Amino acid sequence: MANTFSTENLQKLGFLSVKTFGAVGDDVTDDRAAIQSALDTAALLGSDVYFPPGKYITCRSGTNSWCLDIPGDNLTLRGVKGASWIKAAPGMPATSVAVLRINARSNITLYSLGIDGNWGNALTEIAAASDGVALPTGTVNVKSTAGFPAAGTIQVMTSVGVTQTVNYAGTTATSFTGCTGGTGTMFWGGAVGRLDDNTGVNHSTQADPKNYGIQIRGSTKILIDNCLIQQTYGDGIWLGHSAADGNVWTQDVRITNTNVNITARDGIAFGQACEV
């Protein structure tokens, strides 16, 4: 059976591919202008927007508080879960900037899409070789050490849900070596991340980090379903009133089957007046 969500079939169903507008999705090219053009066109035509698998880098839009802005109502943005990412460019300033802003809009759906704030705080998982091993231990086996420094500090989630601080002196492709510290038992699939603090890794350091993943302001009937949000140097999803009118609250927001991993603040934050 053909894939119902192929680019060709989605275009037949009225979805506009961001690649049609010049987006590359190679984790290097700045695709902000191409994606915003796709969103603007979709709003005019009454179409929806499809993100084929890729990592779409988006810089800040001028001096605005967002990279991408939803330009109209009744829009759906669809990707392939775990493969389609909108990713903030490195070097975000020490001010409020969201990867995606939804302001004073209605009937907006994000489905199977990834939002990556590009904080740089690497994340991995405990491998089978360390399942049931007690801390402290000299070696912590993981899925991958990609993105971690050659030596440093990690946070290890134990089987009782408590995070432990572990220092390591070296790495292989799949392990941290020379480890010290921590108590409790590790488990297969448990989260391992870099030490969390307010120091910017890929962005300017902020005392109160505000580089958000998704910012929802004064909007209604918003659905975020089957999405992934990660590495936000601020809140994963921030909700509040309209940017122009404090009396226009955000209402009727549903967030389902969505994971938020690695944030400098909260996964979901009610920052201002809203009714959800």
Side-chain angles (χ1 to χ4, degrees):
M1 180 179 293
N3 181 2
T4 304
F5 300 125
S6 68
T7 301
E8 180 182 356
N9 286 334
L10 284 168
Q11 288 174 335
K12 289 179 180 178
L13 292 171
F15 283 80
L16 297 178
S17 171
V18 294
K19 290 200 170 184
T20 301
F21 292 80
V24 180
D26 62 358
D27 201 22
V28 177
T29 304
D30 183 2
D31 289 322
R32 190 203 68 78
I35 294 172
Q36 191 63 61
S37 180
L39 296 174
D40 294 344
T41 301
L44 289 173
L45 298 179
S47 302
D48 295 316
V49 180
Y50 173 57
F51 291 77
K55 293 183 179 180
Y56 300 89
I57 297 294
T58 55
C59 67
R60 185 185 187 188
S61 175
T63 58
N64 294 310
S65 61
W66 63 84
C67 299
L68 297 167
D69 188 47
I70 297 296
D73 301 331
N74 307 309
L75 285 177
T76 294
L77 281 61
R78 180 189 293 272
V80 177
K81 188 173 184 178
S84 302
W85 292 92
I86 302 174
K87 184 177 180 181
M92 289 295 170
T95 187
S96 177
V97 181
V99 177
L100 179 67
R101 187 184 79 150
I102 306 172
N103 179 56
R105 302 302 180 197
S106 179
N107 292 307
I108 305 298
T109 296
L110 307 181
Y111 181 74
S112 291
L113 195 60
I115 303 293
D116 188 334
N118 198 13
W119 179 10
N121 197 348
L123 178 68
T124 189
E125 299 175 359
I126 295 294
S130 284
D131 186 34
V133 175
L135 294 171
T137 183
T139 300
V140 175
N141 297 288
V142 292
K143 184 177 180 181
S144 171
T145 58
F148 288 86
T153 303
I154 51 176
Q155 298 292 299
V156 179
M157 182 68 71
T158 65
S159 58
V160 294
V162 177
T163 300
Q164 296 290 311
T165 299
V166 174
N167 297 309
Y168 65 96
T171 64
T172 70
T174 57
S175 68
F176 297 99
T177 59
C179 297
T180 58
T183 59
T185 302
M186 296 182 288
F187 67 100
W188 189 7
V192 177
R194 287 186 64 180
L195 179 63
D196 290 334
D197 59 26
N198 66 349
T199 300
V201 178
N202 289 331
H203 307 308
S204 299
T205 298
Q206 301 176 28
D208 182 14
K210 295 181 179 179
N211 293 150
Y212 307 121
I214 302 171
Q215 188 175 58
I216 304 172
R217 307 196 62 135
S219 298
T220 183
K221 297 181 180 179
I222 308 299
L223 173 61
I224 300 174
D225 183 35
N226 205 43
C227 292
L228 299 173
I229 302 169
Q230 67 180 24
Q231 299 288 350
T232 55
Y233 191 49
D235 301 309
I237 302 173
W238 184 97
L239 303 94
H241 58 63
S242 164
D245 188 344
N247 294 314
V248 180
W249 293 13
T250 287
Q251 303 179 60
D252 191 11
V253 175
R254 288 181 295 154
I255 302 170
T256 58
N257 304 312
T258 292
N259 293 327
V260 182
N261 288 319
I262 301 289
T263 66
R265 300 209 325 176
D266 296 314
I268 301 173
F270 298 92
Q272 295 173 342
C274 49
E275 181 179 345
V276 297

